[in-house]
Amino acid sequence: MSEDDNTQHDDAPSTTSKHGKSGDLERFSRAMTISREPTELYRYWRDFSNLPTIMDNIVSVTPVNDEISDWVAIGPGDSEVKWRARVTEDIEGAFIAWKSDEDADVFNEGRISFSPAQGNRGTVVTATMSYDPPAGFVGRIVAKVLQREPEVQLRRDLRRFKQLMETGEIATNVRNPAQLAKEGK
């Protein structure tokens, strides 16, 4: 523990560090049990072009090749945020790790793992992400207020992933165009 800032540091990669911050990166992790086999969940996630269906703030993911993909997301104030991600580790059916290029609009890295849940109850999906908030602390506060903070988005994205994998659809409370027209809106 450092006397200056009362925080602990370790030498683990930022995606596995036990602490909430690694350098200037904010780090967070979420886990959820999904009633499907690890390989099935891995295959869906590994096809990165599927991810906009479950990730609310992701506009598109365009695979360049098996290891590189270009991402476009909605950021604070409906701004467009872009980056190129590279798969850094990949074990089929178990986990995928990635890291954005250094020149990304928002530098990020992470890992998603798929491990069998105890008692043959599906799969524990654990996502760990780190990112460099644009505009630092102020940018993080703005993102939080506008519900665009990556930590909030990750929790919601995993919930949508669970719904899609278990039921085949994502529940929403958004009214469809026919309902809005019937209400005269």
Side-chain angles (χ1 to χ4, degrees):
M1 187 169 329
S2 167
E3 290 179 26
D4 298 354
D5 58 8
N6 287 335
T7 58
Q8 294 179 335
H9 300 283
D10 61 33
D11 60 356
S14 57
T15 55
T16 58
S17 173
K18 295 177 184 173
H19 309 292
K21 204 163 184 181
S22 177
D24 290 330
L25 297 179
E26 296 291 330
R27 188 187 59 76
F28 49 91
S29 184
R30 291 282 181 255
M32 183 166 289
T33 301
I34 300 176
S35 296
R36 290 284 184 257
E37 293 296 316
T39 53
E40 180 183 355
L41 300 176
Y42 167 89
R43 277 193 305 267
Y44 186 89
W45 199 281
R46 186 58 173 92
D47 181 355
F48 301 131
S49 63
N50 285 332
L51 298 181
T53 63
I54 59 169
M55 298 177 136
D56 190 41
N57 67 323
I58 300 298
V59 175
S60 66
V61 180
T62 307
V64 174
N65 59 40
D66 199 40
E67 303 300 318
I68 299 171
S69 53
D70 290 328
W71 292 63
V72 179
I74 300 169
D78 291 330
S79 61
E80 197 171 79
V81 180
K82 298 179 182 182
W83 69 91
R84 176 166 277 187
R86 296 176 186 278
V87 173
T88 57
E89 293 181 79
D90 187 359
I91 296 183
E92 189 168 343
F95 72 86
I96 306 161
W98 71 90
K99 186 175 188 177
S100 69
D101 285 352
E102 294 293 328
D103 63 347
D105 289 347
V106 176
F107 178 81
N108 65 88
E109 61 185 8
R111 173 186 174 111
I112 186 154
S113 63
F114 309 90
S115 52
Q118 290 184 343
N120 199 25
R121 294 187 348 217
T123 303
V124 176
V125 178
T126 305
T128 303
M129 291 185 59
S130 300
Y131 78 107
D132 185 10
F137 178 76
V138 173
R140 184 162 189 235
I141 295 301
V142 169
K144 185 174 259 185
V145 168
L146 297 174
Q147 298 285 308
R148 292 285 183 202
E149 185 181 28
E151 187 170 4
V152 172
Q153 290 297 134
L154 178 61
R155 185 179 66 241
R156 291 175 179 168
D157 294 344
L158 283 177
R159 191 176 316 124
R160 280 191 291 277
F161 186 45
K162 177 181 177 73
Q163 289 173 0
L164 183 63
M165 294 295 100
E166 290 182 351
T167 69
E169 63 185 11
I170 299 171
T172 179
N173 63 355
V174 177
R175 293 175 291 186
N176 67 39
Q179 289 170 315
L180 292 174
K182 189 175 182 180
E183 295 171 8
K185 296 181 180 178

